[in-house]
Amino acid sequence: WLGRARLGFALTAEDIARRLGGERRTAHFVLHYSPAGPYAKDIAVYAEDMELRWQQLGAFFGGTPAPPIHAFLFDNVADKRALMGAAHTFIAKPWRREIYLQHDPWPQDVTWHELAHVFAGPFGDRIFGVSRKGLQFNVGLIEGVAVAASWAGNPLTPHQIVKVLRDAKLVDGATLASVMGPRFFGINAAQAYNVAGSFCRFLIDTRGMGKLEEVFHAAGSDDSWQKTYGVRFETLQGEWLRMIDAETVPPVERAVALERLKRPSVFGRPCAHAQALAKQRAHEAAQSGDQIGRASCRERV
């Protein structure tokens, strides 16, 4: 365990910073990057963008976390996987005031979202700075607040995306309760994130950030909605859905968005590992002359 960094099976943030090599400090951030990587040539621009997001999020939340925030900027997915484990997933650690990003074309809008998790940390639980009560993590509130804080229309806002889902009968009265409960990951990610973000933004716009911070801290427990807002969760949901029904969406954007939003959740997709094994068995069957076995495996794939 003491040699974990040297042996390569576990790296601390300090180890990762040393491996990346480059460092850029601003008023509120420490950016860690590779001097020979794609971030390097535009590091001043990325630093300025993060300072812009600091100002925007500070105004939105009405406060800021204690600086500095450490941003670990990896050249690509492979380097990020090798150094900290996650591949395509962008990571924020509010309790450490850290974000972990791989290089994407400019502008890298995900920076705004991941920083929002850190800004939400001060009103989260004392250990992780997220929406948690005991063993219950409310992922809907964790992600919903970040989506609401990094609000953008690219080209549709989360309100408009939920309108598309609702018109297509993909969102109903039970969807929000699932998103704000333990079944968040049982729903298509694009649907879940936008439903959560739209609802949180609605609450902030109509009743202020302070009340949502209270519910966030209580992890959206059953009694927290009534205690904080003075009405039941179902009442808030009904008001939100009426607002969604009044949204308008251009027909062309509706058709494009719907294709992406119809994809199944991560639990509804075929397992990539199982597919790879079936392809391997098909190849082995073909080499041995077993055409029936090959056809069976290919059909499974």
Side-chain angles (χ1 to χ4, degrees), residues 218-293:
S221 60
D222 291 340
D223 62 339
S224 64
W225 302 97
Q226 178 74 45
K227 180 179 178 181
T228 302
Y229 289 104
V231 294
R232 297 176 59 195
F233 175 80
E234 291 77 11
T235 302
L236 295 168
Q237 175 183 252
E239 188 178 333
W240 168 67
L241 287 175
R242 287 191 292 273
M243 182 273 295
I244 291 296
D245 289 340
E247 288 284 326
T248 59
V249 182
V252 174
E253 299 299 346
R254 178 187 297 273
V256 173
L258 199 54
E259 285 302 310
R260 180 171 59 91
L261 294 166
K262 281 184 174 179
R263 295 171 185 168
S265 75
V266 64
F267 295 115
R269 299 174 195 165
C271 173
H273 184 63
Q275 281 194 326
L277 290 175
K279 289 178 182 179
Q280 181 179 335
R281 286 194 292 270
H283 179 70
E284 292 170 351
Q287 286 187 321
S288 65
D290 181 6
Q291 296 304 323
I292 294 176

Side-chain angles (χ1 to χ4, degrees), residues 1-11 15 19:
W1 175 251
L2 293 176
R4 60 193 182 279
R6 176 175 52 82
L7 296 171
F9 69 82
L11 301 179
D15 295 326
R19 296 282 187 93

Side-chain angles (χ1 to χ4, degrees), residues 47-301:
E48 188 173 350
D49 181 60
M50 288 193 182
E51 285 295 336
L52 170 64
R53 300 309 184 190
W54 176 279
Q55 299 297 332
Q56 290 174 319
L57 290 168
F60 182 81
F61 284 102
T64 62
I69 295 175
H70 287 259
F72 296 86
L73 309 176
F74 301 90
D75 293 351
N76 50 54
V77 167
D79 285 352
K80 183 157 164 280
R81 180 192 294 114
L83 290 176
M84 61 86 59
H88 294 279
T89 304
F90 297 95
I91 299 292
K93 296 182 178 180
W95 64 97
R96 291 182 56 88
R97 299 191 301 280
E98 295 171 358
I99 61 173
Y100 295 77
L101 312 173
Q102 66 264 19
H103 187 264
D104 268 351
W106 179 266
Q108 194 159 357
D109 290 335
V110 71
T111 302
W112 197 4
H113 180 97
E114 297 307 326
L115 284 176
H117 285 303
V118 180
F119 272 72
F123 53 87
D125 73 287
R126 293 183 179 181
I127 297 176
F128 299 110
V130 298
S131 186
R132 179 187 73 92
K133 188 174 183 180
L135 297 177
Q136 176 188 346
F137 289 79
N138 193 314
V139 183
L141 283 172
I142 293 170
E143 296 299 343
V145 167
V147 171
S150 55
W151 196 258
N154 295 315
L156 300 180
T157 68
H159 287 337
Q160 290 175 310
I161 291 174
V162 177
K163 168 68 171 174
V164 172
L165 291 168
R166 188 153 166 79
D167 290 347
K169 310 300 183 186
L170 295 173
V171 165
D172 56 24
T175 305
L176 182 62
S178 296
V179 167
M180 290 294 167
R183 295 188 293 278
F184 181 93
F185 292 112
I187 300 171
N188 166 295
Q191 294 181 24
Y193 275 71
N194 282 290
V195 167
S198 172
F199 184 62
C200 287
R201 184 65 181 231
F202 159 76
L203 292 175
I204 294 166
D205 288 344
T206 58
R207 292 164 171 85
M209 173 59 77
K211 289 184 180 296
L212 187 59
E213 289 178 0
E214 292 180 27
V215 172
F216 187 95
H217 186 75
S221 60
D222 291 340
D223 62 339
S224 64
W225 302 97
Q226 178 74 45
K227 180 179 178 181
T228 302
Y229 289 104
V231 294
R232 297 176 59 195
F233 175 80
E234 291 77 11
T235 302
L236 295 168
Q237 175 183 252
E239 188 178 333
W240 168 67
L241 287 175
R242 287 191 292 273
M243 182 273 295
I244 291 296
D245 289 340
E247 288 284 326
T248 59
V249 182
V252 174
E253 299 299 346
R254 178 187 297 273
V256 173
L258 199 54
E259 285 302 310
R260 180 171 59 91
L261 294 166
K262 281 184 174 179
R263 295 171 185 168
S265 75
V266 64
F267 295 115
R269 299 174 195 165
C271 173
H273 184 63
Q275 281 194 326
L277 290 175
K279 289 178 182 179
Q280 181 179 335
R281 286 194 292 270
H283 179 70
E284 292 170 351
Q287 286 187 321
S288 65
D290 181 6
Q291 296 304 323
I292 294 176
R294 174 184 179 276
S296 176
C297 290
R298 295 299 297 178
E299 185 176 345
R300 283 194 62 206
V301 173

